[in-house]
Amino acid sequence: MSDIPKSHPRYKSLMTRQRLAEHAVTGVVSMEGLTSHGRGEAFDYLIGEKTPAVALEAEKLAARVLLAARHPVLSINGNTAALAAPQIAELQQASGAEVEVNLFHRTEERITLVTNVLRDAGVVVSEGPVERCVPLPHDRGLCRPEGIGNADVVLVPLEDGDRCEALVGMGKIVITVDLNPLDRTSKMATIPIIDEVTRALPNIAAECRRLRAAGDTLVMPESFDGKYFLAGAIDAIAETLHHALD
Amino acid sequence: MSDIPKSHPRYKSLMTRQRLAEHAVTGVVSMEGLTSHGRGEAFDYLIGEKTPAVALEAEKLAARVLLAARHPVLSINGNTAALAAPQIAELQQASGAEVEVNLFHRTEERITLVTNVLRDAGVVVSEGPVERCVPLPHDRGLCRPEGIGNADVVLVPLEDGDRCEALVGMGKIVITVDLNPLDRTSKMATIPIIDEVTRALPNIAAECRRLRAAGDTLVMPESFDGKYFLAGAIDAIAETLHHALD
């Protein structure tokens, strides 16, 4: 399958797709995860394949919130691990957050596979018995009671809208990373980051390091305006469309 | 994998994704094809998950062109077969066009698998030796000399931009079906149909039947304004974005 010519105008995008496809063969990424990635590709194209200024604002706010949290957790699924394991390790180190694996298409085998991908990149993964802490049908509600169950702040990159909504309903501050500003995930999030995950996580990590070096006392904001970040992303897309046929 | 609750707000979309995932396990759909489908899903969401008026115009024009052609060919890949085999059979019957299987990730095994999916749905698939008729590196250039090689009009749903450009460069009238109006495929096409494939093909077939019943002599237009169809699709997306946060 590695016969994509370097001359192809979408070479980088096709190679990332191929890497995810290889992770799908081993089971790290679910088949449905490949399709979800495609949705992300489309929206990344529309926001210009770079971090919009408004997304960087959201990333800086996310860093502040992770550092001000009592118990921050990074909830990682197959796609995020396949795309961004080194960036997760970097963010964990910069923020001190716990990392828990949480899969939409959950099997014990896939949990182990994703955990191994993360550990190979230097991530410290918390493990232990899970319970249905999140009020959702099926295995979607499973998580560690002392992990995501007990978190006040959860960063959930590439998360399902249902789960995002349920976590918000539990009173948690939910930070999402998702390229689609119209997705329920982004609409439900406390802080929706509309950016590509390998760009977003290092930006959050860099701001964590900057804030820590500055040594200020960080206070958790009392309210958040998620819609501001959505509107900014939609403006970025409208700008791309405006010049699409130039 | 069939544990998606019917209560999920994106149930239909998730079920289609799952069907494609099953076709990926057998090899009809390539892993990369799953990602491509995701890109399509995103743009379908943006055009409102219905046929825009301008797309229906393009579909009616496509019908006229298929019927006026000397040798029209429907070029079918794995995703199109997996999503729309019955609709391809219907369009073949209505238009009289030849059907040839043509894969981006081409292997003899996948050609056979896709051919079988089409035949099971009643499509008459043309087979025979292939040559590099299309000026492209690798197997991308292979097709039947007396099929796509000799066609004056080619309908290529969900096609790669490179191949679309090469076919146009050979002087053929190229009709595409692709949900992304910004994709090179759509920009290069003679007639870009910005619509979902299971909606687009029956619309073309219906217009073929109507034109045949009317019995008029169909003359091939001398020129085409592809940009008109792209601009209309972009307007439809802008409209969705405008109301996204209402």
Side-chain angles (χ1 to χ4, degrees):
Chain A
M1 303 221 288
S2 60
D3 62 344
I4 297 164
K6 284 208 174 169
S7 60
H8 196 289
R10 304 281 314 157
Y11 179 76
K12 193 188 156 197
S13 167
L14 290 171
M15 285 304 289
T16 302
R17 245 188 247 187
Q18 186 165 298
R19 188 154 57 88
L20 275 183
E22 285 161 9
H23 275 295
V25 172
T26 64
V28 169
V29 169
S30 73
M31 294 284 184
E32 291 80 358
L34 292 180
T35 317
S36 301
H37 176 68
R39 292 170 73 108
E41 282 184 349
F43 281 99
D44 199 17
Y45 185 85
L46 288 172
I47 67 166
E49 292 180 335
K50 59 182 191 297
T51 301
V54 72
L56 188 60
E57 281 184 65
E59 287 153 5
K60 288 182 173 177
L61 177 61
R64 184 172 288 272
V65 164
L66 283 170
L67 292 184
R70 171 181 57 76
H71 183 186
V73 175
L74 316 182
S75 171
I76 305 299
N77 63 14
N79 275 34
T80 310
L83 289 169
Q87 291 85 354
I88 294 161
E90 180 193 354
L91 178 56
Q92 179 174 45
Q93 205 155 30
S95 67
E98 194 181 5
V99 169
E100 182 172 329
V101 174
N102 216 323
L103 306 180
F104 190 85
H105 295 278
R106 186 188 189 100
T107 65
E108 279 314 303
E109 192 197 350
R110 285 195 63 224
I111 293 277
T112 304
L113 284 166
V114 173
T115 299
N116 288 344
V117 166
L118 293 171
R119 288 197 172 139
D120 287 349
V123 179
V124 179
V125 181
S126 295
E127 286 182 299
V130 291
E131 292 175 18
R132 191 167 299 169
C133 305
V134 182
L136 281 176
H138 282 275
D139 294 349
R140 315 252 185 275
L142 296 178
C143 67
R144 292 168 54 250
E146 74 274 27
I148 291 172
N150 183 41
D152 56 340
V153 173
V154 195
L155 173 70
V156 283
L158 315 178
E159 184 54 282
D160 171 63
D162 263 9
R163 267 230 293 243
C164 179
E165 181 172 11
L167 290 167
V168 170
M170 293 168 77
K172 299 181 193 301
I173 291 173
V174 178
I175 306 163
T176 56
V177 182
D178 194 299
L179 281 154
N180 181 353
L182 282 59
D183 197 276
R184 282 181 58 246
T185 300
S186 300
K187 288 183 170 176
M188 289 293 162
T190 320
I191 305 174
I193 296 172
I194 313 300
D195 198 6
E196 196 274 327
V197 68
T198 66
R199 294 194 304 260
L201 301 185
N203 285 344
I204 304 171
E207 179 70 359
C208 284
R209 287 191 295 267
R210 194 191 70 76
L211 287 168
R212 281 186 153 178
D216 298 344
T217 308
L218 296 170
V219 181
M220 187 65 81
E222 288 192 5
S223 68
F224 297 90
D225 183 7
K227 215 167 173 176
Y228 167 76
F229 299 117
L230 301 183
I234 289 170
D235 287 346
I237 294 175
E239 181 69 14
T240 302
L241 290 174
H242 188 66
H243 296 289
L245 298 182
D246 289 355
Chain B
M1 303 219 288
S2 60
D3 61 344
I4 297 163
K6 282 207 176 170
S7 58
H8 197 289
R10 304 281 315 156
Y11 179 76
K12 192 186 158 199
S13 167
L14 290 171
M15 287 304 288
T16 302
R17 244 188 248 187
Q18 186 166 297
R19 188 153 56 89
L20 274 184
E22 285 161 9
H23 274 295
V25 171
T26 63
V28 169
V29 169
S30 74
M31 294 284 182
E32 290 79 359
L34 292 179
T35 317
S36 302
H37 177 69
R39 291 170 73 107
E41 282 184 349
F43 281 99
D44 199 18
Y45 185 86
L46 288 172
I47 67 167
E49 292 179 337
K50 61 182 190 300
T51 302
V54 72
L56 189 58
E57 282 184 65
E59 287 153 4
K60 289 183 173 176
L61 177 61
R64 183 171 291 270
V65 164
L66 283 170
L67 293 184
R70 170 182 57 78
H71 181 185
V73 176
L74 317 181
S75 171
I76 304 299
N77 63 16
N79 275 34
T80 309
L83 290 168
Q87 291 83 356
I88 294 162
E90 180 193 354
L91 178 56
Q92 180 174 44
Q93 206 153 29
S95 67
E98 193 181 5
V99 170
E100 182 171 328
V101 174
N102 215 322
L103 305 180
F104 189 85
H105 295 278
R106 185 188 190 100
T107 64
E108 278 315 303
E109 193 197 350
R110 285 195 62 226
I111 293 276
T112 304
L113 285 165
V114 173
T115 298
N116 289 344
V117 167
L118 292 172
R119 288 196 172 138
D120 287 350
V123 179
V124 179
V125 181
S126 295
E127 284 183 300
V130 291
E131 292 175 19
R132 190 167 300 169
C133 306
V134 182
L136 280 175
H138 282 276
D139 294 349
R140 314 252 186 276
L142 296 178
C143 68
R144 291 169 54 253
E146 73 276 28
I148 291 172
N150 183 40
D152 56 339
V153 173
V154 195
L155 172 70
V156 283
L158 315 179
E159 184 54 282
D160 171 63
D162 263 9
R163 268 227 295 242
C164 178
E165 182 173 10
L167 290 167
V168 170
M170 292 168 76
K172 298 180 193 302
I173 291 173
V174 179
I175 306 163
T176 57
V177 181
D178 193 300
L179 281 154
N180 181 354
L182 282 58
D183 197 275
R184 283 180 59 245
T185 300
S186 300
K187 287 183 170 178
M188 289 293 161
T190 320
I191 305 174
I193 297 172
I194 313 300
D195 198 5
E196 197 274 328
V197 68
T198 66
R199 295 194 303 261
L201 301 186
N203 285 344
I204 304 171
E207 179 70 0
C208 283
R209 288 190 295 267
R210 194 191 69 76
L211 287 168
R212 282 185 151 178
D216 298 342
T217 307
L218 296 169
V219 180
M220 187 66 80
E222 287 192 6
S223 67
F224 298 90
D225 183 7
K227 215 166 172 174
Y228 167 77
F229 299 117
L230 302 182
I234 289 170
D235 287 347
I237 294 176
E239 181 69 15
T240 302
L241 290 174
H242 188 68
H243 296 288
L245 299 181
D246 289 355

